[in-house]
Amino acid sequence: MLKPQLHQSHLSTKIPFLLPKPFIHGSGHASFPVYSRSMSTKANKKVRVGYKHGSIKSIASVTQQSTDVKAVVTVKQTVVDFWTEIGIERGLDDLKDLFGKTLLLELVSAELDPKTGLEKPSIRKYAHKIDHEGEDIKYEADFVVPPDFGEIGAIFVENEHHKEMYLHDVVLDGFPTGPVHVTCDSWIHSKFDNKKKRLFFTNKSYLPSETPNGLTKLREEELETLRGNDNGERKKGERIYDYDLYNDLGNPDSDPETARPVLGGKEHPYPRRCRTGRPRTESDPLTETRSSSFYVPRDEEFSEIKMGTFSVKTLKSVLHALVPSLSTAIVDSELGFPFFSSIDALFNEGINLPPLKKQGFWKDLLPNLFRAITDGTKDVLKFETPDTMERDRFFWFRDEEFARQTLSGLNPCSIKMVTEWPLRSKLDPEIYGPQESAITTEMVEQEIKGFMTCGQAVKDQKLFILDYHDLFLPFVSKIRELKGTTLYGSRTLFFLTHEGTLRPLAIELTRPPMDGKPQWKQVFRSAWHSTGVWLWRLAKAHVLAHESGYHQLISHWLRTHCCTEPYIIAAKRQLSEMHPIYRLLHPHFRYTMEINALARQYLINAKGIIETSFFPGKYSMELSSVVYDQEWRFDYEALPKDLINRGMAVEDPSAPHGLKLTVEDYPYANDGLVLWDIIKEWVSDYVNHYYPDSSLIVSDNELQAWWTEVRTEGHADKKDEPWWPVLKTHQDLIETMTTIIWIASGHHAAVNFGQYTYAGYFPNRPTTARMNMPTEDPNDELLKLFWEKPEVILLTTFPSQIQATTVMAILDVLSNHSPDEEYLGQQVEPSWTEEPAINAAFVKFNGRLKEFEGIIDERNADIKLKNRNGVGVVPYELLKPFSDPGVTGKGVPYSISI
């Protein structure tokens, strides 16, 4: 995101641009500093310049004469292929700059004409280029504002160039009360492409009922423009927001094997995505055709002027070039790693990639992954050693680390407390076999002997579980038909020790009746004999693959990326950009739609990275639909309610945050609840300022329309669920806003930015299991291999070389913070500074986040907290608000932008 520039009244720092001629790049982005101009008026009769509506007071008294106002416009310049844009249109645009007709600006009064009841005529002026400072290009225009014009409410902008440009802001200087700021941060199309002028409101926020009468019609018309209609295919550069099903993941016309079911609707419930309107395929009228680029509204696209696009461009390059290069270097796609030393070689020696036309391309693009070898003629993919591996080479082997990561690893969102015993399936026994778990009371008591009975452990809240039994079992038969993957239903049971750590007790793997065979299930426990030890290691590998798939498809993709997109679409369609709730949420929505479109192109599509690398294969997205249908609830996305729902906390008004954790040393929950409370306090201050009375919430037609559309359109398959909040009170609105902000910031950070740290050494988080347990349907050859070379069985169970290296490269990029990452509460939004109370609340928000960093440091230094401290243990920092660039394992950005 572009960093807002503060207006400087008397100071301007000029940075020379190195190119010989400063002109806007074809996409025309530029930005300029604001220069203060002295206010000039004529005559002496007093008159109010401003607007009074309801509780809005007049903003100034000035002499009754025209006011000289200078508008300074900042456009951001792109640097991509700068010189390639020189041509006829370039020359015409330079002439426009020369003759001072680059941008046409129109000032709009916030008041209606009291005599006619109509909008006052706007004041038009062309802006001319005045300066070029680094990435910023400045334009200015001089206006003479009549004494009866009133407060400036908005500005129309027309781009006279032939290419679009990125408009950062407009500052109107000369009013006695100070400058008027209009933050745009938007692409302005050329008038030759679209004659409709762009409208921008000032940074002052208004509820619909408080809208100045001169802006009411414009407010409604701008929303109608963004809604568009549901006809035709959306074109690049448009700003239309609408809904559609996930019907573009396959391409059956080119490859019948990529046909995939439509997600969304009664059969496969799912959130909605942004509508693109492409034609349907010939072979399947329900499936939309795919193209080389997926439409997202123009302002949702990553900006070429943002350094943060480094991560996205890198991801695209990995998908476009690195993955094919790996396929060339590793000829056999099914080839596994023959030795553990071969895995270590990925970090020590690397993989020689086939030469590219551009020498050093990989090293320039991915300096963390690529090292040029001595002769400089080859590129070597050499992975950085993850911090976990750097600290303890055998971390992935240890049972205590396996258990610890359920609380403070990459997926701390699945662990649940056992509340019923014995464990039983809820699936139909006629289809899936006996419901009783093979984990018995006797087994548990053998493992915890001397501590307590199994019944006492359940009563005392000492047993916890990763339960993927009922979710995965219906998929086992069809997933096993896929090449190179297998699946079980699984349960993993843990015991909470007196030290506050979890100890793995047992793993149960189940195969349902299939292929004429009865149900098979077996329990594996840590053993003191080599056979049992190796069976336990193999069972753990299967469970870790289950964990990896659930984490990527559910905890990460579904719960953050996918479910957030409808909030964004509805906000754009129903909340005016001058609405205070829109401005509260906007920084949390930046670039999410673009990264989601990228995911539909390359990651979650048929035969994409997820399908080819994770255990569900072609059923990956269908599995996420089942979880959305069976498990997803908006109210449970709030961290406190999520913890209560999983039995990881109980309500306790006397406890910090009003919750008592059942595992006191639960780093994700402990840090997450502090962050939740900090966000909630900021949201409370914000909401209470703009809604001093709850009746304003009920009567806010835009707010109510937004939330209704989120439920009935964006999450239409769950529109009738009783758990949806109804926005009637301050508590309703504050809880809803806090939940959305938490998901986009804290939750996403917790499940995303530790991916390379914990999964960069893939035996710790294998994405698939390619081989059944040797005790299921054993044969002499398999048992002989297991008996003599158990390591070979484990390595064969792990992902193939191409699967592992592809995922490792992508996780490195996904875990990366860009140099200008925008962290939660670090940078104030320009509109928030307009109200002193909101600005003060933000300062407090920022201060609490800085204090929170110190709290995390103290916790990580506390040797009593064994789930975040110990020999070789990576400290838990995933919810630490701020970070340096790179793969750091910390930092909470505002939004889901990678």
Side-chain angles (χ1 to χ4, degrees), residues 399-535:
D399 287 352
E400 61 271 25
E401 179 65 11
F402 168 57
R404 189 189 73 85
Q405 287 183 28
T406 65
L407 301 171
S408 55
L410 193 52
N411 184 36
C413 311
S414 291
I415 189 77
K416 300 177 182 179
M417 186 178 71
V418 174
T419 56
E420 297 179 355
W421 192 267
L423 301 173
R424 287 177 60 89
S425 170
K426 293 180 173 61
L427 298 175
D428 186 349
E430 295 295 321
I431 299 174
Y432 300 104
Q435 296 175 314
E436 295 77 17
S437 169
I439 302 176
T440 65
T441 298
E442 292 72 25
M443 289 179 180
V444 172
E445 292 182 345
Q446 286 173 11
E447 294 296 322
I448 63 172
K449 58 183 178 291
F451 288 101
M452 60 187 67
T453 65
C454 180
Q456 192 66 40
V458 174
K459 182 180 178 181
D460 291 352
Q461 301 179 338
K462 297 292 185 182
L463 293 185
F464 296 84
I465 191 170
L466 289 176
D467 192 350
Y468 298 123
H469 184 277
D470 285 10
L471 175 61
F472 289 172
L473 210 59
F475 285 87
V476 169
S477 178
K478 52 187 177 183
I479 285 179
R480 286 194 173 199
E481 293 176 358
L482 303 177
K483 187 177 181 180
T485 187
T486 190
L487 183 62
Y488 295 99
S490 70
R491 296 185 179 103
T492 307
L493 194 65
F494 301 88
F495 176 72
L496 181 62
T497 71
H498 68 280
E499 293 184 316
T501 59
L502 293 180
R503 175 189 160 201
L505 299 182
I507 293 173
E508 178 185 18
L509 300 179
T510 304
R511 180 200 68 196
M514 56 180 288
D515 301 331
K517 301 174 184 177
Q519 182 194 70
W520 176 89
K521 63 178 68 170
Q522 186 172 349
V523 177
F524 304 91
R525 290 182 282 169
S526 185
W528 302 100
H529 180 265
S530 62
T531 303
V533 167
W534 275 101
L535 287 173

Side-chain angles (χ1 to χ4, degrees), residues 104-115:
L104 176 62
L105 308 179
E106 296 185 28
L107 304 185
V108 178
S109 173
E111 299 179 12
L112 293 176
D113 189 318
K115 296 180 181 178

Side-chain angles (χ1 to χ4, degrees), residues 249-250 255-263 268 475 477-487 553 603-625 768 803:
L249 301 179
D255 183 357
E257 291 186 2
T258 66
R260 297 291 181 269
V262 173
L263 301 185
H268 299 290
F475 285 87
S477 178
K478 52 187 177 183
I479 285 179
R480 286 194 173 199
E481 293 176 358
L482 303 177
K483 187 177 181 180
T485 187
T486 190
L487 183 62
L553 287 167
L603 298 176
I604 64 172
N605 59 302
K607 296 188 177 182
I609 300 300
I610 296 294
E611 285 196 3
T612 56
S613 302
F614 287 78
F615 73 83
K618 65 184 288 187
Y619 301 105
S620 294
M621 295 305 290
E622 187 178 330
L623 174 62
S624 72
S625 169
T768 188
Q803 288 174 322

Side-chain angles (χ1 to χ4, degrees), residues 539-702:
K540 276 203 306 182
H542 282 272
V543 169
L544 288 168
H546 300 170
E547 265 278 276
S548 294
Y550 189 91
H551 159 260
Q552 205 63 263
L553 287 167
I554 310 305
S555 301
H556 187 195
W557 162 255
L558 176 66
R559 291 182 62 184
T560 66
H561 289 261
C562 184
C563 287
T564 296
E565 186 158 337
Y567 312 146
I568 303 171
I569 299 172
K572 286 289 188 177
R573 289 167 52 86
Q574 299 298 342
L575 293 176
S576 167
E577 292 190 2
M578 69 167 71
H579 197 294
I581 294 300
Y582 175 88
R583 284 174 163 162
L584 171 66
L585 292 175
H586 179 62
H588 304 285
F589 289 165
R590 288 189 182 106
Y591 306 126
T592 301
M593 292 179 67
E594 170 80 342
I595 198 67
N596 286 1
L598 188 67
R600 298 203 328 269
Q601 280 182 279
Y602 302 109
L603 298 176
I604 64 172
N605 59 302
K607 296 188 177 182
I609 300 300
I610 296 294
E611 285 196 3
T612 56
S613 302
F614 287 78
F615 73 83
K618 65 184 288 187
Y619 301 105
S620 294
M621 295 305 290
E622 187 178 330
L623 174 62
S624 72
S625 169
V626 170
V627 175
Y628 176 73
D629 181 36
Q630 296 180 1
E631 299 182 10
W632 189 86
R633 293 177 48 156
F634 178 83
D635 55 339
Y636 286 175
E637 293 304 288
L639 177 61
K641 291 185 179 179
D642 169 52
L643 295 171
I644 293 170
N645 178 54
R646 291 190 284 119
M648 302 305 292
V650 293
E651 291 188 79
D652 182 352
S654 66
H657 322 291
L659 294 180
K660 178 176 173 41
L661 297 178
T662 50
V663 178
E664 292 184 9
D665 182 15
Y666 184 0
Y668 165 72
N670 283 308
D671 292 358
L673 287 170
V674 176
L675 184 57
W676 171 274
D677 281 357
I678 292 172
I679 294 171
K680 189 171 184 178
E681 182 182 47
W682 153 242
V683 171
S684 298
D685 290 342
Y686 193 98
V687 167
N688 289 330
H689 174 79
Y690 284 105
Y691 296 94
D693 188 273
S694 59
S695 63
L696 293 172
I697 297 173
V698 176
S699 63
D700 188 334
N701 61 300
E702 286 184 6

Side-chain angles (χ1 to χ4, degrees), residues 35-43 49 62-72 107 123 125 140-149 152 171-180:
Y35 300 92
S36 175
R37 307 291 176 176
S38 60
M39 187 266 296
S40 172
T41 58
K42 304 173 181 109
V49 177
V62 299
T63 54
Q64 184 177 0
Q65 263 300 359
S66 301
T67 302
D68 293 337
V69 174
K70 185 171 292 295
V72 179
L107 304 185
I123 308 174
K125 283 288 181 179
E140 71 174 27
D142 294 306
F143 291 91
V144 177
V145 180
D148 59 350
F149 191 73
I152 305 298
V171 179
L172 304 170
D173 207 355
F175 296 109
T177 53
V180 174

Side-chain angles (χ1 to χ4, degrees), residues 211-254:
T211 308
N213 56 22
L215 303 178
T216 301
K217 183 179 178 181
L218 292 176
R219 181 171 184 151
E220 295 171 354
E221 288 177 348
E222 181 67 6
L223 286 173
E224 290 175 1
T225 297
L226 294 173
R227 292 182 197 124
N229 58 60
D230 60 357
N231 297 322
E233 182 176 356
R234 297 272 70 88
K235 301 294 191 294
K236 183 175 176 59
E238 291 183 339
R239 300 168 55 241
I240 307 298
Y241 295 78
D242 205 352
Y243 302 95
D244 209 339
L245 307 171
Y246 276 77
N247 60 357
D248 62 347
L249 301 179
N251 192 2
D253 283 352
S254 63

